[in-house]
Each structure stands twice: as structure tokens, then as C-alpha cells.
Amino acid sequence: NAGVMQNPRHLVRRRGQEARLRCSPMKGHSHVYWYRQLPEEGLKFMVYLQKENIIDESGMPKERFSAEFPKEGPSILRIQQVVRGDSAAYFCASSRIGQGIMNTEAFFGQGTRLTVV
Amino acid sequence: QKEVEQNSGPLSVPEGAIASLNCTYSDRGSQSFFWYRQYSGKSPELIMFIYSNGDKEDGRFTAQLNKASQYVSLLIRDSQPSDSATYLCAVIIRGGSEKLVFGKGTKLTVNP
């Protein structure tokens, strides 16, 4: 859905560098979710955030990965000291209220394709 | 058991046929179920959601839910080549927060 904006669309990083992925949710949406997708794989949940709060980070690797959703500005997924295994498509989704509430749809951005060389 | 399981396929059907996609889930308390379509290299787009047992129809798409069997399916009638994509089943899983968990997807090819 064009309403959720992710940038950059493509990102190339050398091993050991940092990657910063940005996600601006749809207008009026205060819930953001990050997913990772490897080639030919499904979407793997990483983290669920509301403004200034991490609600669920059970899918985040313990090291090198962090996420934030500040009061102002986009949500950021940060990967420090990238390795080749981090190469994947990273998708952000947003919803107006939490996904546990019926009739709440989550809309996806176009994704960021990270390539680590 | 994985939280959401789908037959990975690939599934191939002729144009005009009915395509049937299946999904099972592990959380007996799940209440919300979604089908997303993802074209190669693109982002997932929501095509159907269902919350109640039974069938829900939207155009050529019908979602079916059986909570007792923990089973949800998607039928695509009069399949078209443009329906060729990967179909992702997603379920709201409880426990802590309520997050949307995806199956690995079923790749569908509709042959002209």
C-alpha cells in the first residue's frame, strides 16, 4: 500500500557497516510492525512498536538489531555490523490500532531490500 | 508445531479452474485470520480477512474458517493468470502482545 512509506528501497552495505531502514506509517496509524523475508520464505515477525514504546520484540535477534518509533518522525530499524546473513527484504506494516482488535487491517510498505557484500 | 503452516506448493491450475489454498494454525484461541497476496518482488497486499466460522465471499475469492479444526482456506474461482502469486496465510497469535504471524506461503501458478 502506497500509504506506508519505506526508504530506501534498496540498500547495499559492506560487512561490518550499519544499516538504517526507515518506515513512515500511514496517516493516523500509530502501530508499526517490522518483518523480515528471506528469498522463497514467508514473512518473519521481528518487532511491534507504538509511538515511543516497544510492545513486542520477541522476533528480534538479541544482538546488533534495534528498533525505535519516536514521537516525531519515522520508525527506524537499525542493524549494526551487518553480516551476509542479514541480506533480506525488510517490510514494515502499520495499523490504526493494535492487530488484536478485530477489523483492524495492517498495510505494508514496499520494503527495503538489503544486500550485504 | 509451527504457529502457521501452509503447503508450500507450488500449486498449478489451468485458467478458469478453482484454486484451493489451505492453512492450519496452532493457537486455538486465535480469532483473526487473513490472506495476503504477494507478487514476486512486491509487498504483501491484503485480499481477505475472516473472523467467524463458515464462509466469507468477496468476488471470486472465498475464505473458509473452521476454528474447531484450526483450519482456514482460500478458494479462488475462475482463476486467471493474473492470480499467479504467492498467497500468505496470517493469523493473530496471542501471548504477550497480539502479533500477526505468517505462514511460508503457497506459490500459485495459473496456466493460460
Side-chain angles (χ1 to χ4, degrees):
Chain A
N1 186 297
V4 180
M5 303 301 294
Q6 288 189 249
N7 66 81
R9 293 288 303 277
H10 300 275
L11 181 62
V12 179
R13 284 286 177 266
R14 295 185 184 279
R15 282 178 295 171
Q17 290 185 320
E18 177 180 288
R20 280 184 174 243
L21 288 62
R22 298 175 191 78
C23 170
S24 296
M26 287 181 69
K27 186 176 181 180
H29 287 194
S30 60
H31 297 249
V32 166
Y33 316 85
W34 285 94
Y35 291 84
R36 176 164 64 178
Q37 187 173 40
L38 294 168
E40 306 303 318
E41 295 279 331
L43 291 156
K44 182 170 183 261
F45 170 81
M46 299 183 74
V47 63
Y48 164 27
L49 309 108
Q50 294 177 24
K51 288 279 187 181
E52 300 184 281
N53 281 309
I54 296 175
I55 305 303
D56 185 335
E57 56 182 349
S58 58
M60 289 276 273
K62 294 281 188 267
E63 297 176 349
R64 301 188 299 108
F65 285 72
S66 62
E68 63 176 4
F69 189 15
K71 186 177 180 180
E72 301 291 337
S75 174
I76 305 287
L77 179 66
R78 182 182 178 205
I79 311 172
Q80 295 178 292
Q81 299 174 332
V82 295
V83 300
R84 286 207 173 127
D86 296 331
S87 296
Y90 291 83
F91 288 98
C92 163
S94 74
S95 66
R96 185 171 57 82
I97 52 179
Q99 288 174 338
I101 309 296
M102 287 189 178
N103 300 321
T104 301
E105 300 173 20
F107 295 93
F108 281 80
Q110 293 300 304
T112 294
R113 272 79 178 168
L114 172 65
T115 302
V116 179
V117 297
Chain B
Q1 181 188 4
K2 292 182 181 176
E3 292 174 309
V4 182
E5 293 202 65
Q6 295 180 250
N7 290 331
S8 59
L11 175 65
S12 183
V13 300
E15 185 174 355
I18 295 175
S20 177
L21 303 156
N22 305 315
C23 174
T24 58
Y25 59 94
S26 61
D27 181 5
R28 186 169 288 278
S30 293
Q31 299 291 322
S32 307
F33 308 88
F34 305 83
W35 283 99
Y36 284 79
R37 177 176 61 198
Q38 186 176 27
Y39 292 111
S40 181
K42 301 295 184 182
S43 62
E45 57 176 324
L46 180 68
I47 53 173
M48 290 283 289
F49 60 86
I50 186 167
Y51 305 127
S52 303
N53 273 329
D55 295 358
K56 180 183 178 183
E57 188 174 317
D58 183 1
R60 295 185 297 111
F61 298 95
T62 299
Q64 299 174 318
L65 175 61
N66 184 327
K67 291 184 181 179
S69 300
Q70 294 174 239
Y71 174 92
V72 58
S73 66
L74 180 70
L75 299 177
I76 306 174
R77 290 183 301 281
D78 189 23
S79 295
Q80 302 296 308
S82 59
D83 295 327
S84 298
T86 296
Y87 288 80
L88 300 164
C89 172
V91 178
I92 298 286
I93 300 292
R94 303 168 309 154
S97 71
E98 293 183 318
K99 55 183 181 277
L100 191 62
V101 176
F102 286 81
K104 286 195 171 183
T106 299
K107 187 172 183 178
L108 172 66
T109 300
V110 180
N111 300 305

